[in-house]
Amino acid sequence: MPGATIGVFGSGQLGRMLGLAARPLGYRFAVFAPDAEHSPAGDVADWVVQAEYADLAAVRRFARAIDVATFEFENVAADVAAAATAVGTPVRPGGHVLHAAQNRLREKTFLAQNDLPVTPFWRVDSLADLTRGLETLGGPAVLKTAAFGYDGKGQAKIMQPAEAAQAWAEINQAPAILEAFVPFKQEVSVVAGRGLNGDLAHFGVIENIHENHILDLSIAPARVSDKVRQQAIALACDVLTKLEVVGVLCVEFFVTDDDQLLINELAPRPHNSGHLTIDACLTSQFELQLRTICGLPLGNTELLRPSVMANLLGDLWHSGEPKWETVLAEPNCKLHLYGKAAARPGRKMGHCTIVADESTAAVEPLMARLVQARARLPVA
Ligand code: AMP
């Protein structure tokens, strides 16, 4: 209940936005990370512990001082979750969710075993596996490291079987998954939450446009048919229920030309595509995370108005601090900056969201206004 302390493993923007959602409800907020001090999450925390995740004694001390633990990135090792649980502090979502989501092969195997539609895949531990996988899946394919990949990192596209050896070398011969290349027409996501009692809440279907494998724009509601919308929501709810998630999880889908949905990836936490819920919903994805892990009623997650989010990457800083007035001058635009000290190309520094004036507005004019405002940000 309010007054209790939420502890988060990880120091990035997702932790920061959870902290910012926890404050109005009267929760206290603590951060554990190797770089917790002067970090996006650490800067909004009541207190931080700066220690390595391998320092399990520090993890246990942190866990004793908080009431519930969560994480803001999924590569927190399973033994961190186990150490916190061992001192009696609930970790939500639980270690079993981390275990499944940390590894693309485990994740896709779980989905396939539960009859959830997933990109065709093949396990790769050797060049021979890769060659057999290419024969079996046929056509172009994507080789991805099974663990520690994000935003297109640790991935190699293979157009011809002759490129197998090069792709295998490119990912440093790490345990991998080979996926059929899906010629999708759209990418969409569903961010959903599941409470301690199994209640579900979701934010509908969000459409995502990537640039260089990094999310660029998110559009809500997604421009999909009612059938695709209903199916995506039903599938996402099914994933959370079957995986017994207590917390928030994002399901990323490919939509094929014939409107089939294939699950590409799960993220067991709030997701970049759900950032627009901060400004477009009564209950944001971060408040939903808080409510689910604290066992509170889930709240109203309905999208109140169409909205579009644009990421602000470090590239915008190429000649100095961007001219913030360009987005601030858009009356329906909200600016979110994560307080990161160094702006590097490709680094997520912030985002901005534009919200429509009315609930029936089309998203295209909103997209155009937001993209134009962002384009005017860099100094000449
Ligand atoms: P991921 O890290 O798996 O989310 O991949 C990052 C992006 O690469 C996705 O959002 C897609 O745009 C693209 N991608 C990944 N896997 C595939 C695939 N099997 N077929 C087509 N595009 C893919």
Side-chain angles (χ1 to χ4, degrees):
M1 280 296 149
T5 302
I6 316 290
V8 65
F9 292 106
S11 59
Q13 63 266 21
L14 300 180
R16 179 187 183 90
M17 290 184 270
L18 171 62
L20 293 174
R23 277 283 166 75
L25 279 94
Y27 282 92
R28 297 179 69 76
F29 179 67
V31 169
F32 184 109
D35 58 350
E37 286 167 25
H38 312 299
S39 65
D43 285 352
V44 304
D46 290 284
W47 49 275
V48 304
V49 171
Q50 181 153 319
E52 297 297 323
Y53 296 116
D55 184 351
L56 294 180
V59 169
R60 282 189 290 270
R61 276 197 302 280
F62 177 73
R64 283 194 197 97
I66 60 176
D67 296 294
V68 61
T70 190
F71 42 84
E72 60 106 50
F73 75 122
E74 55 271 33
N75 286 324
V76 172
D79 54 357
V80 171
T85 312
V87 300
T89 301
V91 178
R92 296 174 183 149
H96 67 286
V97 179
L98 272 179
H99 184 75
Q102 272 170 353
N103 182 290
R104 293 181 189 275
L105 206 56
R106 280 201 294 268
E107 182 176 289
K108 291 215 156 70
T109 304
F110 163 83
L111 294 167
Q113 283 172 349
N114 282 280
D115 295 325
L116 292 156
V118 60
T119 321
F121 66 97
W122 188 266
R123 179 191 184 113
V124 174
D125 290 315
S126 65
L127 185 56
D129 289 343
L130 176 55
T131 307
R132 266 195 304 278
L134 287 168
E135 281 164 19
T136 311
L137 298 179
V142 189
L143 184 66
K144 303 178 179 179
T145 54
F148 296 115
Y150 69 99
D151 286 349
K153 295 188 174 62
Q155 298 192 10
K157 191 168 171 187
I158 304 176
M159 301 303 293
Q160 310 282 343
E163 295 165 11
Q166 195 197 331
W168 182 232
E170 250 173 66
I171 66 154
N172 295 321
Q173 311 190 345
I177 181 170
L178 182 72
E179 295 177 11
F181 184 80
V182 179
F184 55 80
K185 68 172 179 191
Q186 274 170 315
E187 292 187 81
V188 300
S189 55
V190 175
V191 178
R194 183 170 172 273
L196 274 171
N197 59 1
D199 279 357
L200 291 158
H202 63 79
F203 298 95
V205 184
I206 299 168
E207 180 178 345
N208 300 314
I209 299 175
H210 292 84
E211 284 284 339
N212 301 322
H213 295 281
I214 302 175
L215 184 66
D216 184 45
L217 298 175
S218 288
I219 302 158
R223 294 166 295 175
V224 294
S225 68
D226 282 343
K227 191 168 156 231
V228 168
R229 188 182 314 285
Q230 282 159 17
Q231 273 177 357
I233 291 167
L235 287 168
C237 289
D238 229 22
V239 170
L240 273 89
T241 302
K242 288 185 169 145
L243 199 50
E244 295 180 31
V245 174
V246 174
V248 163
L249 181 141
C250 174
V251 183
E252 293 180 63
F253 298 92
F254 297 134
V255 187
T256 64
D257 279 333
D258 56 352
D259 268 357
Q260 296 300 308
L261 283 161
L262 292 173
I263 298 178
N264 168 40
E265 200 168 26
L266 307 181
R269 49 169 170 77
H271 188 257
N272 196 166
S273 62
H275 290 357
L276 53 79
T277 63
I278 298 174
D279 301 306
C281 301
L282 212 51
T283 307
S284 73
Q285 63 169 349
F286 299 100
E287 185 172 331
L288 183 61
Q289 180 184 26
L290 178 84
R291 285 170 175 254
T292 52
I293 66 172
C294 293
L296 303 179
L298 303 190
N300 180 352
T301 56
E302 182 194 349
L303 184 77
L304 299 176
R305 308 269 184 82
S307 63
V308 181
M309 182 229 52
N311 267 337
L312 304 175
L313 300 185
D315 311 62
L316 293 169
W317 274 249
H318 58 72
S319 305
E321 190 71 13
K323 295 178 288 178
W324 298 121
E325 54 276 21
T326 66
V327 290
L328 294 171
E330 266 293 342
N332 289 15
C333 214
K334 296 284 276 188
L335 177 64
H336 299 257
L337 293 171
Y338 308 147
K340 294 185 183 177
R344 288 189 293 274
R347 190 174 197 205
K348 291 175 181 171
M349 302 295 290
H351 70 268
C352 46
T353 304
I354 190 164
V355 180
D357 283 316
E358 41 172 324
S359 59
T360 54
V363 291
E364 286 80 5
L366 284 178
M367 277 168 73
R369 270 163 64 192
L370 185 63
V371 168
Q372 279 160 19
R374 183 178 61 174
R376 292 194 297 270
L377 276 173
V379 291

